[in-house]
Amino acid sequence: MGAIGEGYAIDLHTHSLRSDGALSPADLVKRAAARGVTIQALSDHDTLAGIAEAEATGRDLGVRIIPATELNTESEWGDAHVLGYFIDPADAALEDRLRWLRSNRGRRIELMVEKLNALDYAVDLARVLEIAQGGALGRPHLAQALFEKGYVKSYDEAFDTLIAKDSPAYVARVGLTPLEAVTLVRTHGGVPSLAHPGTVIGLDELLPRLVAAGLAGIEAYYGEHSPRMTARCLDRARELDLVPTGGSDFHGRGEHGVDIGGVFVPPETIERLESRRRGA
Ligand code: AMP
Ligand code: FE
Ligand code: FE
Ligand code: ZN
């Protein structure tokens, strides 16, 4: 990637190679530090595997790492993803549940490769696994395999034409509903926030139900939000007593438009989120 440039101090949504990001946890934190980030949540999908490495680099470079995970869900509510903050990376019972979600991810990608092969796209499961380097498998790995083979000109094109919902090679996820995701985070002492609410279908109906299950935050500050969407999230946050959170959703392949630290998050957010921990 090009010049590093300057970012904001807080980023509460980032992904590493332990899921579908392109950088190792150490390199991700190095990039964050170089951009001026001092508080970073590592929020890999369905895994805690990168947190220790991120914390070690963070200690060296003055970046506080907030342990987190992002749970993508399956339901009629569209892309409802739940960020869980302040989870314990050594929580074995949580890890058990995440392992189940990761094995479902693997099976889903296998099925999508089979569908692609049947459509005459010769992507190799072995190559997809190589791209993922042991991280929690996801469609971005499949998008990269399609891109490498020249079937698509960009990741976006892979999603738009082949692997997004309602596209020919799509397979539904076996996993949690949004309500179950919020409950899982709460059960394990974490603080749940609804990621990029703009991708949810029926946001105003879903939010009060998630709040009843313990939702504490809403990702109001997000690179792909219009000013109007941010304002709408801030309104809902006031009405439902949610903490507005935010982050880049940096994966390292130019997705979601912004670099790490590229979204302004108010400094009081951290304290407000911490105050929503229960029994801590
Ligand atoms: P999965 O968890 O396997 O369903 O993959 C979902 C992930 O794909 C999201 O977390 C995003 O990182 C990424 N993603 C979703 N839509 C797009 C898109 N249109 N272009 C690039 N990446 C996307
Ligand atoms: Fe992702
Ligand atoms: Fe997401
Ligand atoms: Zn994300």
Side-chain angles (χ1 to χ4, degrees):
M1 255 173 299
I4 284 267
E6 210 161 300
Y8 296 104
I10 300 173
D11 193 331
L12 297 180
H13 192 161
T14 68
H15 296 276
S16 80
L17 261 181
R18 298 297 169 260
S19 64
D20 56 9
L23 301 180
S24 69
D27 286 346
L28 185 71
V29 177
K30 279 181 202 158
R31 187 175 184 92
R35 294 257 306 151
V37 172
T38 56
I39 302 180
Q40 176 192 357
L42 179 66
S43 55
D44 274 317
H45 302 284
D46 302 337
T47 183
L48 312 171
I51 292 169
E53 182 181 321
E55 284 175 340
T57 307
R59 270 192 296 276
D60 287 346
L61 301 179
V63 181
R64 174 182 168 194
I65 302 297
I66 295 177
T69 185
E70 181 179 17
L71 304 169
N72 295 8
T73 63
E74 184 67 39
S75 71
E76 73 274 28
W77 303 98
D79 281 320
H81 299 178
V82 174
L83 292 156
Y85 295 115
F86 307 115
I87 45 172
D88 174 4
D91 182 335
L94 174 59
E95 175 55 23
D96 265 0
R97 300 286 284 143
L98 298 180
R99 192 178 303 117
W100 175 72
L101 291 169
R102 292 197 300 273
S103 79
N104 295 349
R105 280 179 168 276
R107 182 67 190 134
R108 179 183 185 220
I109 294 300
E110 270 173 37
L111 292 170
M112 289 183 75
V113 167
E114 283 172 22
K115 271 196 162 184
L116 284 166
N117 292 165
L119 292 163
D120 279 337
Y121 293 91
V123 288
D124 233 358
L125 182 62
R127 179 58 197 148
V128 177
L129 296 174
E130 227 171 72
I131 290 167
Q133 294 182 51
L137 279 171
R139 285 179 291 163
H141 301 127
L142 210 47
Q144 187 171 334
L146 285 160
F147 176 77
E148 281 178 4
K149 283 268 184 161
Y151 291 125
V152 293
K153 291 189 194 66
S154 68
Y155 297 109
D156 269 355
E157 190 188 331
F159 275 88
D160 291 347
T161 61
L162 288 166
I163 60 175
K165 193 161 188 182
D166 302 320
S167 305
Y170 183 79
V171 174
R173 183 190 312 281
V174 175
L176 305 172
T177 65
L179 216 71
E180 288 169 339
V182 167
T183 303
L184 180 64
V185 171
R186 276 300 186 193
T187 303
H188 292 275
V191 178
S193 180
L194 183 67
H196 42 71
T199 63
V200 172
I201 298 168
L203 179 64
D204 292 344
E205 289 72 42
L206 178 61
L207 273 174
R209 302 186 198 199
L210 297 186
V211 168
L215 187 74
I218 179 167
E219 196 171 51
Y221 307 106
Y222 192 73
E224 286 176 324
H225 279 178
S226 62
R228 194 191 154 101
M229 187 63 206
T230 300
R232 183 176 163 204
C233 290
L234 293 175
D235 283 345
R236 293 295 95 78
R238 266 189 300 274
E239 289 160 16
L240 297 165
D241 193 26
L242 293 167
V243 180
T245 66
S248 64
D249 207 357
F250 181 78
H251 286 70
R253 297 187 199 87
E255 305 97 321
H256 311 307
V258 287
D259 204 332
I260 196 161
V263 172
F264 176 73
V265 180
E268 65 270 22
T269 307
I270 307 303
E271 226 173 277
R272 292 189 66 191
L273 272 181
E274 280 176 327
S275 77
R276 298 304 181 94
R277 297 174 79 162
R278 291 175 182 163

